[in-house]
Amino acid sequence: MRIAVIGAGMIGTSIAVELAARGAEVHLIDQSEPGSGSSAASYAWVNSNNKTPDSYYRLNLAGVQAHRHLADAGVDWIRFTGHVEFATEPDHRSELRRRVERLIRVGYPVELISRERARELVPDLIVPQNCDTIAFYPDEAHLMPDRYIAGRLGEGERSGVRLRTGTPVISLDSGGAEVRVGLGDGDELSVDRVISATGRWTNDLTRLADLPDLMLENAGPGDATVGYLARTAQGTFAVDRLVTSPRLNVRPNGDGRLLLQALDLDATADPTAVPSPDSALGREFASRLAALLSDAGDTQVTDLLVGYRAMPRDTRSIIGALPSCPWLYLVATHSGVTLAPLLGSGVAREIFGQSEPLFADFRPDRLLEPVTVGAVAAPRRPGEQ
């Protein structure tokens, strides 16, 4: 079977590797370089923490387990060091307690811990004296997307994946017994199936196949599809796990730096006008970090990014083919980091004829009918991401 996988981020790379391992002839195509899209600007938190409804929770839980399976083989791109979340504001405190109770009921590893235990887990963490709601999720992880993609591309190379970068797909022609994929460099591939793992660019591909738009597109600064990330200078931080706090989320970047997220600041996020690290926004990130970690008082922000969320129109993941276009298999989700290895193996099985029950609630045909969901609210408060 000859297959074109379009999009060489975490999801596309995972799918290409798994297909090649099953004997397919795989062409992995990207308009830029591997991992340069959404994967390059992701907070990369592996979890099934605040995932609803139940089918989405189970899908993400299976994604965490798929990462664990890879981690047990000794990979260098993921750290299962857990996640500490604390709440001080009334709304966040109530929501966190309700979430912990729900997660305990379904068997998700989580416990409420003391301030002293939180300081043992993150020695330099500054927790307010009056904070009485702190959760620890021991099985959650943070991931380095660039290392994941490089490692899996190495697997793919050994299995025969043919990587084509720096050229967009400009046409899809399904006339006859095969699909012709036209590339921007003038080349054309003949394949049996096409798999889209293009994330926020999915609409560009579905238009080539005369299909409707399935994804939300950025409508302006601060909408639900975008958010800031900040990286610090290198330091000797006593932080080896994720931390969610009222004003700042923090995780190791994997190179002696920290990756920062502040949901309320995302209200001004604009991918066409990203502030410089020494801007007022960069200084605000640094100030919040100094208030959270006792050893971060003079730490500077060196990078400010605007990351994109791949957001289907009804916010639910898209996994599968449309009945009217069976040769085109679509994958798009804003949980791509957590789901990547599960999607790799599950999509490969489906392409070879074995249905994956976990994907049943996420087929794209639901979006062929008008979808009324109202404005999609961007995550702005702690615990909403």
Side-chain angles (χ1 to χ4, degrees):
M1 187 181 297
R2 300 165 301 169
I3 302 171
V5 179
I6 305 173
M10 285 188 59
I11 293 174
T13 299
S14 301
I15 293 170
V17 168
E18 296 291 346
L19 286 168
R22 286 164 171 78
E25 177 187 304
V26 181
H27 300 268
L28 178 59
I29 305 162
D30 200 285
Q31 63 184 347
S32 187
E33 293 300 314
S36 59
S38 298
S39 297
S42 168
Y43 193 58
W45 167 25
V46 177
N47 75 98
S48 190
N49 187 315
N50 199 11
K51 311 292 188 180
T52 57
D54 183 63
S55 59
Y56 191 48
Y57 167 79
R58 288 186 284 106
L59 183 72
N60 280 271
L61 186 62
V64 176
Q65 293 165 345
H67 275 293
R68 175 70 76 176
H69 178 73
L70 291 176
D72 288 345
V75 300
D76 69 347
W77 58 65
I78 193 165
R79 301 287 184 271
F80 276 94
T81 49
H83 166 211
V84 173
E85 178 179 3
F86 71 88
T88 56
E89 300 170 0
D91 287 348
H92 184 198
R93 186 164 56 241
S94 298
E95 186 278 331
L96 178 54
R97 287 187 173 274
R98 286 194 302 269
R99 180 158 30 103
V100 167
E101 290 172 0
R102 176 177 59 81
L103 291 172
I104 289 174
R105 285 197 302 272
V106 299
Y108 191 81
V110 59
E111 60 178 316
L112 290 173
I113 61 174
S114 65
R115 293 179 66 255
E116 291 72 25
R117 175 62 174 150
R119 287 292 303 274
E120 291 175 3
L121 292 167
V122 186
D124 293 313
L125 187 63
I126 300 172
V127 183
Q129 289 286 343
N130 63 349
C131 179
D132 62 356
T133 306
I134 310 173
F136 178 49
Y137 312 88
D139 285 6
E140 295 182 359
H142 60 278
L143 180 141
M144 281 60 77
D146 56 341
R147 296 186 194 176
Y148 179 95
I149 292 169
R152 303 232 67 187
L153 282 176
E155 293 179 55
E157 183 179 359
R158 293 187 291 273
S159 298
V161 172
R162 303 175 186 184
L163 178 63
R164 299 281 297 267
T165 61
T167 182
V169 172
I170 61 172
S171 66
L172 295 170
D173 184 354
S174 62
E178 56 189 16
V179 183
R180 292 185 295 278
V181 181
L183 303 180
D185 60 9
D187 200 2
E188 184 178 86
L189 301 175
S190 293
V191 297
D192 302 301
R193 298 289 295 272
V194 174
I195 299 174
S196 169
T198 53
R200 62 186 174 94
W201 292 280
T202 298
N203 289 343
D204 294 340
L205 200 71
T206 56
R207 290 167 190 163
L208 295 179
D210 295 321
L211 296 171
D213 289 354
L214 304 180
M215 307 292 290
L216 294 176
E217 296 189 351
N218 180 244
D223 81 354
T225 67
V226 292
Y228 288 118
L229 288 175
R231 289 194 184 97
T232 70
Q234 289 187 329
T236 55
F237 305 105
V239 180
D240 67 351
R241 64 194 80 241
L242 295 126
V243 176
T244 296
S245 79
R247 301 185 72 236
L248 190 71
N249 303 335
V250 179
R251 50 148 290 188
N253 193 60
D255 56 0
R257 301 194 292 170
L258 297 176
L259 190 61
L260 315 179
Q261 179 189 65
L263 299 178
D264 62 303
L265 298 181
D266 289 347
T268 64
D270 182 354
T272 68
V274 183
S276 65
D278 61 355
S279 64
L281 181 69
R283 294 192 297 274
E284 178 64 17
F285 270 106
S287 173
R288 293 187 184 196
L289 181 63
L292 182 65
L293 299 177
S294 60
D295 64 348
D298 58 355
T299 301
Q300 300 297 309
V301 166
T302 59
D303 301 279
L304 273 176
L305 312 169
V306 173
Y308 277 89
R309 301 179 182 96
M311 190 75 70
R313 283 187 4 237
D314 64 356
T315 74
R316 290 168 50 206
S317 300
I318 295 170
I319 313 170
L322 289 166
S324 62
C325 196
W327 53 267
L328 177 59
Y329 192 109
L330 302 166
V331 183
T333 176
H334 60 276
S335 293
V337 168
T338 295
L339 296 179
L342 174 71
L343 290 168
S345 58
V347 171
R349 285 195 299 273
E350 293 214 319
I351 293 297
F352 278 89
Q354 181 182 351
S355 181
E356 171 52 70
L358 286 168
F359 298 169
D361 283 356
F362 304 99
R363 303 306 189 187
D365 54 335
R366 70 183 190 272
L367 293 172
L368 295 181
E369 301 298 326
V371 177
T372 304
V373 294
V376 176
R380 289 284 182 264
R381 295 180 298 179
E384 288 186 340
Q385 73 275 39

Coordinates of all heavy atoms in Angstrom, one line a residue, residues 229-303:
L229 N 3.6 31.3 24.9 CA 4.5 30.5 25.7 C 5.8 31.4 25.9 O 6.1 32.1 24.9 CB 4.9 29.2 25.0 CG 3.8 28.1 25.0 CD1 4.3 27.0 24.1 CD2 3.5 27.7 26.4
A230 N 6.4 31.3 27.0 CA 7.7 32.0 27.2 C 8.7 31.0 27.7 O 8.4 30.0 28.4 CB 7.5 33.1 28.3
R231 N 10.0 31.2 27.3 CA 11.1 30.4 27.7 C 12.1 31.3 28.5 O 12.3 32.4 28.1 CB 11.8 29.7 26.6 CG 11.0 28.6 25.9 CD 11.9 27.8 25.0 NE 11.1 26.7 24.3 CZ 10.7 26.9 23.1 NH1 10.9 28.0 22.4 NH2 10.0 25.9 22.5
T232 N 12.7 30.7 29.5 CA 13.6 31.5 30.3 C 15.0 31.2 29.9 O 15.3 30.3 29.1 CB 13.5 31.1 31.8 OG1 14.0 29.8 32.0 CG2 12.1 31.2 32.3
A233 N 15.9 32.1 30.4 CA 17.4 31.7 30.3 C 17.7 30.5 31.1 O 16.9 30.1 31.9 CB 18.2 32.9 30.8
Q234 N 18.8 29.9 30.8 CA 19.2 28.7 31.5 C 19.5 29.0 33.0 O 19.9 30.1 33.3 CB 20.5 28.1 30.9 CG 20.2 27.4 29.6 CD 21.4 26.7 29.1 OE1 22.5 27.0 29.3 NE2 21.2 25.6 28.3
G235 N 19.2 28.1 33.9 CA 19.4 28.3 35.3 C 19.5 26.9 36.0 O 19.3 25.9 35.4
T236 N 19.7 27.0 37.3 CA 19.8 25.8 38.1 C 18.5 25.7 38.9 O 18.5 25.8 40.1 CB 21.0 25.8 39.0 OG1 21.0 27.0 39.8 CG2 22.3 25.7 38.2
F237 N 17.4 25.5 38.2 CA 16.1 25.5 38.8 C 15.8 24.1 39.5 O 16.1 23.1 38.9 CB 15.0 25.8 37.8 CG 15.2 27.1 37.1 CD1 15.7 27.1 35.7 CD2 15.0 28.3 37.7 CE1 15.9 28.2 35.0 CE2 15.2 29.5 37.0 CZ 15.6 29.5 35.7
A238 N 15.2 24.2 40.7 CA 14.8 22.9 41.4 C 13.4 22.5 41.0 O 12.5 22.3 41.8 CB 15.0 23.1 42.9
V239 N 13.2 22.4 39.7 CA 11.9 22.1 39.1 C 12.1 21.0 38.1 O 12.7 21.2 37.1 CB 11.2 23.3 38.4 CG1 9.8 22.9 37.9 CG2 11.1 24.5 39.4
D240 N 11.5 19.8 38.4 CA 11.6 18.7 37.4 C 10.3 18.2 37.1 O 10.2 17.1 36.5 CB 12.6 17.6 38.0 CG 12.0 16.9 39.2 OD1 11.0 17.3 39.7 OD2 12.6 15.8 39.5
R241 N 9.2 18.9 37.3 CA 7.9 18.5 37.0 C 7.0 19.7 36.7 O 7.4 20.8 36.8 CB 7.3 17.7 38.2 CG 7.1 18.5 39.4 CD 6.8 17.6 40.6 NE 8.0 17.1 41.2 CZ 8.3 15.8 41.2 NH1 7.4 14.9 40.8 NH2 9.5 15.3 41.7
L242 N 5.8 19.4 36.2 CA 4.9 20.5 35.9 C 4.3 21.1 37.1 O 4.1 20.4 38.1 CB 3.7 19.9 35.1 CG 4.0 19.4 33.7 CD1 3.5 18.0 33.5 CD2 3.4 20.3 32.6
V243 N 4.1 22.4 37.1 CA 3.4 23.2 38.2 C 2.3 24.0 37.6 O 2.6 24.8 36.7 CB 4.4 24.0 38.9 CG1 3.7 24.9 40.0 CG2 5.5 23.2 39.6
T244 N 1.1 23.9 38.1 CA 0.0 24.8 37.8 C -0.3 25.6 39.0 O -0.6 25.1 40.0 CB -1.2 24.0 37.3 OG1 -0.9 23.3 36.1 CG2 -2.4 24.9 37.1
S245 N -0.3 27.0 38.8 CA -0.5 27.9 40.0 C -1.5 28.9 39.5 O -1.9 29.0 38.3 CB 0.8 28.5 40.4 OG 1.1 29.6 39.6
P246 N -2.0 29.7 40.4 CA -3.1 30.7 40.0 C -2.7 31.7 38.9 O -3.5 32.1 38.1 CB -3.4 31.4 41.3 CG -3.1 30.4 42.4 CD -1.9 29.7 41.9
R247 N -1.4 32.1 38.8 CA -1.0 33.1 37.9 C 0.0 32.6 36.9 O 0.3 33.4 35.9 CB -0.5 34.3 38.6 CG -1.5 34.9 39.6 CD -1.0 36.2 40.2 NE -0.9 37.3 39.3 CZ 0.2 38.0 39.0 NH1 1.3 37.7 39.6 NH2 0.1 39.0 38.2
L248 N 0.6 31.4 37.0 CA 1.6 31.0 36.1 C 1.7 29.4 36.1 O 1.6 28.8 37.2 CB 3.0 31.5 36.5 CG 4.1 31.4 35.5 CD1 3.9 32.2 34.2 CD2 5.5 31.7 36.1
N249 N 1.8 28.8 34.9 CA 2.1 27.4 34.8 C 3.6 27.3 34.3 O 4.0 28.0 33.5 CB 1.2 26.8 33.8 CG -0.3 26.9 34.2 OD1 -0.6 27.1 35.3 ND2 -1.2 26.9 33.2
V250 N 4.3 26.3 34.9 CA 5.7 26.1 34.7 C 6.0 24.7 34.5 O 5.5 23.8 35.1 CB 6.5 26.7 35.9 CG1 8.0 26.5 35.7 CG2 6.2 28.1 36.2
R251 N 7.0 24.4 33.6 CA 7.5 23.1 33.4 C 9.0 23.2 32.9 O 9.4 24.2 32.3 CB 6.7 22.3 32.4 CG 6.4 23.0 31.1 CD 6.3 22.0 29.9 NE 7.6 21.4 29.6 CZ 7.8 20.6 28.5 NH1 6.8 20.3 27.7 NH2 9.0 20.1 28.3
P252 N 9.8 22.2 33.1 CA 11.1 22.2 32.5 C 11.1 22.1 31.0 O 10.2 21.5 30.4 CB 11.8 20.9 33.1 CG 10.9 20.5 34.3 CD 9.5 21.0 33.9
N253 N 12.0 22.8 30.4 CA 12.1 22.9 28.9 C 12.9 21.7 28.4 O 12.9 21.5 27.2 CB 12.6 24.2 28.5 CG 12.4 24.4 27.0 OD1 11.3 24.4 26.5 ND2 13.5 24.6 26.3
G254 N 13.7 21.1 29.3 CA 14.6 20.0 28.8 C 16.0 20.4 28.6 O 16.9 19.5 28.2
D255 N 16.4 21.7 28.7 CA 17.7 22.1 28.4 C 18.2 23.1 29.5 O 19.1 24.0 29.2 CB 17.8 22.8 27.1 CG 16.8 24.0 26.9 OD1 16.0 24.2 27.9 OD2 16.7 24.6 25.8
G256 N 17.7 23.0 30.7 CA 18.1 23.9 31.8 C 17.3 25.2 31.8 O 17.5 26.0 32.7
R257 N 16.3 25.3 30.9 CA 15.4 26.4 30.9 C 14.0 26.0 31.4 O 13.8 24.8 31.5 CB 15.4 27.1 29.5 CG 16.7 27.5 29.0 CD 16.6 28.4 27.8 NE 16.1 27.7 26.6 CZ 15.8 28.3 25.5 NH1 15.8 29.7 25.4 NH2 15.4 27.6 24.5
L258 N 13.2 27.0 31.6 CA 11.8 26.7 32.0 C 10.9 27.2 30.9 O 11.1 28.2 30.2 CB 11.4 27.4 33.3 CG 12.2 26.9 34.5 CD1 11.8 27.8 35.7 CD2 12.0 25.5 34.8
L259 N 9.7 26.5 30.7 CA 8.7 26.9 29.8 C 7.5 27.4 30.6 O 7.1 26.8 31.6 CB 8.3 25.7 28.9 CG 7.3 26.0 27.7 CD1 8.0 26.9 26.7 CD2 7.0 24.7 27.0
L260 N 7.0 28.6 30.3 CA 6.0 29.3 31.1 C 4.7 29.5 30.3 O 4.8 29.8 29.1 CB 6.5 30.7 31.5 CG 8.0 30.7 32.1 CD1 8.3 32.2 32.4 CD2 8.1 29.8 33.3
Q261 N 3.6 29.5 31.0 CA 2.3 29.7 30.4 C 1.5 30.5 31.4 O 1.5 30.1 32.6 CB 1.6 28.3 30.1 CG 0.3 28.4 29.5 CD -0.4 27.0 29.4 OE1 -0.6 26.4 30.5 NE2 -0.6 26.5 28.2
A262 N 0.8 31.5 31.0 CA -0.1 32.3 31.8 C -1.4 32.5 31.1 O -1.4 33.4 30.2 CB 0.5 33.6 32.3
L263 N -2.5 31.8 31.4 CA -3.7 31.8 30.5 C -4.3 33.1 30.4 O -4.8 33.5 29.4 CB -4.6 30.7 31.1 CG -4.1 29.3 31.1 CD1 -5.2 28.4 31.7 CD2 -3.8 28.8 29.7
D264 N -4.3 33.9 31.5 CA -5.0 35.2 31.4 C -4.3 36.2 30.5 O -4.9 37.1 29.9 CB -5.1 35.8 32.8 CG -3.8 36.1 33.5 OD1 -3.0 35.1 33.6 OD2 -3.5 37.3 33.8
L265 N -3.0 36.0 30.3 CA -2.2 36.9 29.4 C -2.5 36.6 27.9 O -2.2 37.4 27.1 CB -0.7 36.8 29.7 CG -0.2 37.2 31.1 CD1 1.3 37.0 31.2 CD2 -0.7 38.6 31.4
D266 N -3.1 35.4 27.7 CA -3.4 35.0 26.3 C -4.4 36.0 25.6 O -4.6 35.9 24.4 CB -3.9 33.6 26.2 CG -2.8 32.6 26.5 OD1 -1.6 33.0 26.5 OD2 -3.1 31.4 26.7
A267 N -5.1 36.8 26.4 CA -6.1 37.7 25.8 C -5.5 38.6 24.7 O -6.3 39.1 23.8 CB -6.7 38.5 26.9
T268 N -4.2 38.8 24.7 CA -3.6 39.7 23.6 C -2.8 38.9 22.6 O -2.1 39.5 21.8 CB -2.7 40.7 24.3 OG1 -1.6 40.1 25.0 CG2 -3.5 41.6 25.3
A269 N -2.8 37.6 22.7 CA -1.9 36.8 21.8 C -2.3 37.0 20.4 O -3.4 36.8 20.0 CB -2.0 35.3 22.2
D270 N -1.3 37.4 19.6 CA -1.5 37.7 18.2 C -0.3 37.1 17.4 O 0.8 37.6 17.6 CB -1.6 39.2 18.0 CG -1.8 39.6 16.5 OD1 -1.8 38.7 15.6 OD2 -2.0 40.8 16.2
P271 N -0.5 36.1 16.6 CA 0.6 35.5 15.9 C 1.3 36.4 14.9 O 2.4 36.1 14.5 CB 0.0 34.2 15.2 CG -1.5 34.5 15.1 CD -1.8 35.4 16.3
T272 N 0.7 37.5 14.5 CA 1.3 38.4 13.6 C 2.0 39.5 14.3 O 2.7 40.3 13.6 CB 0.2 39.1 12.7 OG1 -0.7 39.9 13.5 CG2 -0.7 38.0 12.0
A273 N 2.0 39.6 15.6 CA 2.7 40.7 16.3 C 3.1 40.1 17.7 O 2.5 40.4 18.7 CB 1.8 41.9 16.5
V274 N 4.2 39.3 17.7 CA 4.7 38.7 18.9 C 5.6 39.7 19.6 O 6.6 40.1 19.0 CB 5.4 37.4 18.6 CG1 5.8 36.7 19.9 CG2 4.5 36.5 17.8
P275 N 5.3 40.1 20.9 CA 6.2 41.0 21.6 C 7.6 40.4 21.8 O 7.8 39.2 21.7 CB 5.6 41.2 22.9 CG 4.1 40.8 22.7 CD 4.2 39.7 21.7
S276 N 8.6 41.3 22.0 CA 10.0 40.8 22.2 C 10.1 40.4 23.7 O 9.3 40.7 24.5 CB 10.9 42.0 22.0 OG 10.7 43.0 22.9
P277 N 11.1 39.6 23.9 CA 11.3 39.1 25.3 C 11.5 40.2 26.4 O 11.1 40.0 27.5 CB 12.5 38.2 25.2 CG 12.6 37.8 23.8 CD 12.1 38.9 23.0
D278 N 12.0 41.3 25.9 CA 12.2 42.4 26.9 C 11.0 43.4 26.9 O 11.2 44.5 27.5 CB 13.5 43.2 26.6 CG 13.5 43.8 25.2 OD1 12.6 43.6 24.4 OD2 14.5 44.5 24.9
S279 N 9.9 43.0 26.4 CA 8.7 43.8 26.4 C 8.1 43.8 27.8 O 8.5 43.0 28.7 CB 7.7 43.3 25.3 OG 7.3 42.0 25.7
A280 N 7.0 44.5 27.9 CA 6.2 44.5 29.2 C 5.7 43.1 29.4 O 5.6 42.6 30.6 CB 5.1 45.5 29.1
L281 N 5.3 42.4 28.4 CA 4.8 41.0 28.5 C 5.9 40.1 29.0 O 5.7 39.3 30.0 CB 4.2 40.5 27.2 CG 3.6 39.1 27.3 CD1 2.4 39.1 28.1 CD2 3.4 38.6 25.8
G282 N 7.1 40.2 28.4 CA 8.2 39.4 28.9 C 8.5 39.6 30.4 O 8.8 38.7 31.1
R283 N 8.5 40.9 30.7 CA 8.8 41.3 32.1 C 7.7 40.7 33.1 O 8.0 40.4 34.2 CB 9.0 42.8 32.3 CG 10.2 43.3 31.5 CD 10.5 44.7 31.9 NE 9.4 45.7 31.6 CZ 9.3 46.3 30.4 NH1 10.2 46.0 29.4 NH2 8.3 47.1 30.1
E284 N 6.4 40.7 32.6 CA 5.4 40.2 33.4 C 5.5 38.7 33.7 O 5.3 38.2 34.8 CB 4.0 40.5 32.8 CG 2.8 39.9 33.5 CD 2.6 40.5 34.9 OE1 3.2 41.6 35.2 OE2 1.8 40.0 35.7
F285 N 5.9 38.0 32.6 CA 6.2 36.5 32.8 C 7.3 36.3 33.9 O 7.2 35.5 34.8 CB 6.6 35.9 31.5 CG 5.4 35.3 30.7 CD1 5.0 36.0 29.6 CD2 4.8 34.1 31.1 CE1 4.0 35.4 28.8 CE2 3.8 33.6 30.3 CZ 3.3 34.3 29.2
A286 N 8.4 37.1 33.7 CA 9.5 37.0 34.6 C 9.1 37.3 36.1 O 9.5 36.7 37.0 CB 10.7 37.9 34.2
S287 N 8.3 38.4 36.2 CA 7.8 38.8 37.6 C 7.0 37.7 38.2 O 7.1 37.4 39.4 CB 7.0 40.1 37.4 OG 6.4 40.4 38.7
R288 N 6.1 37.1 37.4 CA 5.3 36.0 38.0 C 6.1 34.8 38.3 O 5.8 34.1 39.3 CB 4.2 35.6 37.0 CG 3.2 36.7 36.7 CD 2.0 36.2 35.9 NE 1.1 37.3 35.6 CZ -0.2 37.1 35.1 NH1 -0.6 35.9 34.9 NH2 -0.9 38.2 34.9
L289 N 7.1 34.5 37.6 CA 8.0 33.4 37.9 C 8.8 33.6 39.2 O 8.9 32.8 40.1 CB 9.0 33.2 36.8 CG 10.0 32.0 37.0 CD1 9.3 30.7 37.1 CD2 11.1 32.0 35.9
A290 N 9.2 34.9 39.4 CA 9.9 35.2 40.7 C 9.0 35.1 41.9 O 9.5 34.8 43.0 CB 10.5 36.7 40.6
A291 N 7.7 35.3 41.7 CA 6.8 35.1 42.8 C 6.4 33.7 43.0 O 5.8 33.4 44.1 CB 5.5 35.9 42.5
L292 N 6.7 32.8 42.1 CA 6.4 31.4 42.2 C 7.5 30.5 42.7 O 7.3 29.6 43.5 CB 5.9 30.9 40.9 CG 5.4 29.4 40.9 CD1 4.2 29.2 41.7 CD2 5.2 29.0 39.4
L293 N 8.8 30.9 42.3 CA 10.0 30.1 42.7 C 11.0 31.0 43.4 O 11.3 32.0 42.9 CB 10.6 29.5 41.4 CG 9.7 28.5 40.6 CD1 10.5 28.1 39.3 CD2 9.3 27.3 41.4
S294 N 11.4 30.5 44.5 CA 12.3 31.3 45.3 C 13.7 31.5 44.7 O 14.4 32.5 45.1 CB 12.5 30.7 46.7 OG 13.0 29.4 46.6
D295 N 14.1 30.7 43.7 CA 15.4 30.8 43.1 C 15.4 31.5 41.8 O 16.3 31.4 41.0 CB 16.1 29.4 43.0 CG 15.3 28.5 42.1 OD1 14.2 28.8 41.7 OD2 15.9 27.4 41.7
A296 N 14.3 32.1 41.4 CA 14.1 32.7 40.1 C 14.0 34.2 40.1 O 13.5 34.8 39.1 CB 12.8 32.1 39.4
G297 N 14.5 34.8 41.1 CA 14.3 36.3 41.2 C 14.9 37.1 40.1 O 14.2 38.1 39.7
D298 N 16.0 36.7 39.5 CA 16.6 37.5 38.4 C 16.5 36.8 37.1 O 17.3 37.2 36.2 CB 18.0 37.9 38.8 CG 18.9 36.7 39.0 OD1 18.4 35.5 39.0 OD2 20.1 36.8 39.2
T299 N 15.7 35.8 37.0 CA 15.6 35.1 35.7 C 15.0 35.9 34.6 O 13.9 36.5 34.8 CB 14.8 33.8 35.9 OG1 15.5 33.0 36.9 CG2 14.7 33.0 34.6
Q300 N 15.6 35.9 33.4 CA 15.0 36.6 32.3 C 14.3 35.7 31.3 O 14.7 34.5 31.2 CB 16.2 37.3 31.6 CG 17.0 38.3 32.4 CD 16.1 39.4 32.9 OE1 15.4 40.1 32.1 NE2 16.2 39.7 34.2
V301 N 13.3 36.3 30.7 CA 12.7 35.6 29.6 C 13.5 35.8 28.3 O 13.8 37.0 28.0 CB 11.2 36.1 29.4 CG1 10.6 35.6 28.1 CG2 10.3 35.6 30.6
T302 N 13.8 34.8 27.6 CA 14.6 34.9 26.4 C 13.9 34.7 25.1 O 14.3 35.1 24.0 CB 15.8 33.9 26.4 OG1 15.3 32.6 26.5 CG2 16.7 34.2 27.6
D303 N 12.7 34.0 25.2 CA 11.9 33.7 24.0 C 10.4 33.9 24.4 O 9.9 33.4 25.4 CB 12.1 32.3 23.5 CG 13.5 32.0 23.2 OD1 13.9 32.4 22.0 OD2 14.2 31.4 24.0

